[in-house]
Amino acid sequence: MIEALKEAVLDQAGIKMQGRGDCHMLSDLILGQTNEFISYNTLRRMYGFAPEVKPRTKTLDVLAQFCGYADFQRFCLQHSRFERWQRQLDVVQRAEKSNPTLCIQCVFEVPGNLERVELSTQIACAFIDAGKWEEFSEFCHGIVSFIKGQDYMAQLYFGNRIGLRLGNLNGQIPRALLHPSVVSLICTTH
């Protein structure tokens, strides 16, 4: 996360760290915006122009404040959420263009079971929204054992979100929705 903060600081300052002069300028910008002083030597160590040492918590907090966050901990929380959101958006966009097998692989590459459940739900919704019923049923077949292995609340979340989405369809229900995996995952839960 420290590397991400360092990048965010440079983005906020609008400079490229190329030497000692940039460290002086960044130190002045930070002081002007936060009323907190970080020496150019500290910045030189952080950006690799001097032997690196682990920055103090106070230094990280001030840098986070410079970027608009309350402290380094808040920066880490927001950055993690943003990374997760970006990863999910990327996979959902690929779901609209690719086959279910690749989408299933993407789901299992994501860290954390709850994020996998959320991502599975979003991909399934993307297939529904695109009217890709065969792909939807194939995707459900590929994740049925994973979803069934989750706790009841995760199963309920998946089943209800998809069930509600399907309930809003106008017209005849496609045959692909009668696939045993779809029935098992959604219809019985919802």
Side-chain angles (χ1 to χ4, degrees):
M1 265 319 149
I2 292 174
E3 290 303 313
L5 178 61
K6 287 166 43 178
E7 287 179 33
V9 166
L10 294 180
D11 287 344
Q12 177 70 21
I15 62 174
K16 293 184 179 186
M17 194 57 73
Q18 297 177 336
R20 181 178 171 171
D22 293 324
C23 294
H24 277 291
M25 183 171 34
L26 183 56
S27 177
D28 292 342
L29 288 171
I30 291 169
L31 178 62
Q33 186 170 326
T34 66
N35 290 327
E36 297 282 349
F37 178 72
I38 296 179
S39 75
Y40 82 95
N41 278 321
T42 299
L43 295 170
R44 283 180 49 218
R45 286 190 291 273
M46 286 190 72
Y47 286 97
F49 298 111
E52 192 171 343
V53 295
K54 184 178 177 185
R56 295 180 312 152
T57 303
K58 175 69 175 167
T59 300
L60 296 174
D61 286 343
V62 171
L63 292 174
Q65 290 167 8
F66 178 72
C67 293
Y69 297 89
D71 54 30
F72 182 60
Q73 184 178 11
R74 297 272 161 69
F75 172 82
C76 292
L77 288 172
Q78 285 299 110
H79 190 74
S80 295
R81 288 181 186 137
F82 181 73
E83 279 183 337
R84 185 173 62 235
W85 176 78
Q86 285 285 81
R87 187 169 48 242
Q88 290 174 346
L89 181 62
D90 178 55
V91 173
V92 169
Q93 288 173 343
R94 283 192 279 163
E96 295 171 350
K97 299 174 186 170
S98 62
N99 68 50
T101 304
L102 291 175
C103 294
I104 293 165
Q105 289 173 348
C106 288
V107 165
F108 290 112
E109 290 172 1
V110 170
N113 282 342
L114 292 179
E115 189 173 343
R116 285 181 189 155
V117 170
E118 175 63 25
L119 190 56
S120 297
T121 305
Q122 291 175 356
I123 291 171
C125 287
F127 282 134
I128 292 169
D129 294 343
K132 295 183 175 184
W133 301 110
E134 294 300 323
E135 292 87 346
F136 172 73
S137 63
E138 186 180 332
F139 179 74
C140 288
H141 181 69
I143 63 167
V144 67
S145 60
F146 165 69
I147 297 291
K148 291 286 190 173
Q150 300 306 304
D151 65 28
Y152 177 71
M153 291 306 291
Q155 291 180 44
L156 191 62
Y157 173 79
F158 182 86
N160 282 338
R161 284 270 314 268
I162 303 304
L164 290 169
R165 194 66 146 261
L166 293 173
N168 290 328
L169 291 177
N170 293 327
Q172 189 173 356
I173 295 177
R175 211 178 91 226
L177 296 182
L178 300 176
H179 189 283
S181 295
V182 174
V183 172
S184 175
L185 269 178
I186 296 143
C187 299
T188 56
T189 304
H190 182 66

